[in-house]
Amino acid sequence: MSTRHILLGLLAGGPSHGYDLKRRHDERFPQARPLAYGQVYTTLQRLVRDGLAEVDGTGSDGGPERTAYRATVDGSRELARWAGEIAPPAPFVTNEIFAKVVVSILADGDPEAYLRAQRAAHMERMRELTALKTAKGTDLATVLSADYALNHLDADLRWMATTAARLTTLSAEVDQA
C-alpha cells in the first residue's frame, strides 16, 4: 500500500493536519497496520517537496500549533493516475509458509507438524476476524477488510491441505536436488 497515495486520497476531502490524517487512515483502513505519526509527517514533507501537496496554514485551536496540508493540482492528478492503475498480479509469489516447509525438509525437520501448527494459527486468526466483522455496529470498511483477509487465509489453508497431501513427493524431490 502506498502511504503517499493514501494520504493524498485523504487530502482529497480537504485540508487536514497530520494528526487528523493519521486518525482517518486508521479508521478507514482498520485492518492495515496503523500509521506512525513520524511516517505521516515524513510523507507529508515529501509530498510538499514533490509539489503534490502544500501547506494550507497553521493554527492552534487552543492546543499545540498544527500545520494543515492540502493536495495541489499535481497531487490530484497523481492520485487519479495511481487510483486508476491496474495492480498487476505478482510475477513471482514469495510464500514464507512454502519456504519453511522446504527448509524443514532440508533440515530433517517435521514439515507435517509445521503445517498443522500453521493451520491452527490461521484458524485462530480467522475466528478473530469473523468475530470482528460480525460484531454489532461494525462498519462496512471493517467488514470488507476482514473479508479480504479471510479469503487470503482460506486460500492459504487450501494450499496447506494440498501441500500436506503431497509431502512425500515434495520430500523426495527436495532430497534429490
Side-chain angles (χ1 to χ4, degrees):
M1 188 161 64
S2 168
T3 302
R4 72 189 264 129
H5 291 103
I6 297 301
L7 291 182
L8 277 173
L10 293 171
L11 287 172
S16 291
H17 51 78
Y19 177 83
D20 281 341
L21 291 168
K22 186 243 186 298
R23 182 185 50 76
R24 287 175 34 222
H25 169 275
D26 295 351
E27 288 171 356
R28 301 253 190 267
F29 303 98
Q31 296 302 310
R33 177 175 297 152
L35 289 180
Y37 286 105
Q39 183 179 13
V40 171
Y41 290 107
T42 300
T43 303
L44 285 169
Q45 289 169 354
R46 288 184 184 136
L47 289 171
V48 169
R49 177 198 68 201
D50 296 343
L52 303 176
E54 61 190 11
V55 172
D56 189 61
T58 57
S60 64
D61 283 338
E65 187 171 279
R66 293 187 178 159
T67 302
Y69 298 85
R70 65 181 172 91
T72 62
V73 171
D74 285 345
S76 296
R77 273 193 221 114
E78 170 61 17
L79 179 62
R81 183 204 59 75
W82 175 80
E85 193 175 74
I86 300 302
F92 303 100
V93 178
T94 58
N95 182 331
E96 183 176 355
I97 298 169
F98 176 67
K100 288 182 177 183
V101 168
V102 171
V103 167
S104 181
I105 293 168
L106 290 170
D108 292 324
D110 188 348
E112 192 172 350
Y114 169 74
L115 285 171
R116 278 194 309 272
Q118 187 64 57
R119 181 182 188 285
H122 270 54
M123 295 298 293
E124 176 60 27
R125 181 63 181 144
M126 290 176 87
R127 283 189 286 278
E128 292 168 1
L129 289 166
T130 300
L132 176 70
K133 77 177 229 168
T134 58
K136 185 175 175 140
T138 302
D139 61 279
L140 185 57
T142 299
V143 171
L144 292 173
S145 184
D147 282 342
Y148 184 86
L150 284 163
N151 280 295
H152 281 265
L153 290 167
D154 182 60
D156 282 352
L157 287 173
R158 285 184 277 121
W159 177 87
M160 283 185 250
T162 301
T163 301
R166 296 175 176 169
L167 271 178
T168 302
T169 304
L170 179 62
S171 293
E173 287 181 8
V174 168
D175 287 339
Q176 284 179 353

